[in-house]
Amino acid sequence: MSAVTKEKREEQLAVVRERAGQGIADTVIAEELGVHPRTVLRIRQRHDIPSLWQQPSPSAGCGSVAQYQKRGCRCTVCVAAHNARHVEGRRGRVARRDTATFVHGVNGYRNWNCRCAECKAGASAASARERAARRDRGARR
């Protein structure tokens, strides 16, 4: 390991220790360091640094899709709002479905609820590719 790399890692460790001790989220620490949030998590786990970050309480503006998407809130209220938005979007697409306006295949099957032979075959092929990719990565299922 080169001296520069070691110094950089020690610097990152110091920042993670300080900011995690202040209760700052891993995503914010990662932005400061210019690394992926998973890297911050690994540093914390490797050095037994607890995270004092707490998820915002539902009274902090929860219940909107923006809280879920922008702030990353995963409380039950925000998750329910996010799920409801997707369910409503799919219902709207299915209600206005015109088989001539969308591309048949996996898109038609998953997004437009089309069950024609072409859409079924496309979805089946896509699922097979996804399973093969997971197997190649070493996943069990």
Side-chain angles (χ1 to χ4, degrees):
M1 182 183 310
S2 68
V4 175
T5 305
K6 188 174 183 179
E7 288 175 7
K8 184 176 179 181
R9 286 189 182 192
E10 288 175 2
E11 182 181 314
Q12 288 177 341
L13 175 60
V15 171
V16 170
R17 279 188 201 279
E18 177 186 346
R19 303 296 277 159
Q22 295 171 349
I24 306 298
D26 287 355
T27 53
V28 176
I29 298 170
E31 287 178 16
E32 289 177 14
L33 294 174
V35 297
H36 194 275
R38 177 71 97 197
T39 303
V40 175
L41 173 67
R42 288 183 181 133
I43 291 171
R44 282 193 314 94
Q45 289 174 339
R46 190 177 307 126
H47 297 283
D48 295 323
I49 302 170
S51 175
L52 301 178
W53 180 80
Q54 295 180 0
Q55 194 165 1
S57 65
S59 63
C62 288
S64 68
V65 176
Q67 285 289 100
Y68 182 92
Q69 291 177 338
K70 302 289 185 199
R71 288 191 59 208
C73 182
R74 296 298 185 262
C75 72
T76 56
V77 178
C78 289
V79 169
H82 173 76
N83 290 344
R85 176 176 179 253
H86 281 278
V87 166
E88 189 56 38
R90 188 162 191 253
R91 278 193 194 126
R93 283 192 302 275
V94 171
R96 69 178 188 275
R97 179 177 65 192
D98 177 13
T99 56
T101 61
F102 65 88
V103 178
H104 287 271
V106 67
N107 176 46
Y109 188 89
R110 291 183 178 169
N111 295 325
W112 295 89
N113 203 29
C114 181
R115 298 300 185 252
C116 71
E118 185 178 352
C119 289
K120 284 181 182 179
S124 178
S127 294
R129 283 192 304 271
E130 291 164 4
R131 279 192 309 273
R134 282 194 302 271
R135 267 194 309 274
D136 291 345
R137 289 191 311 263
R140 289 186 159 177
R141 288 182 156 203

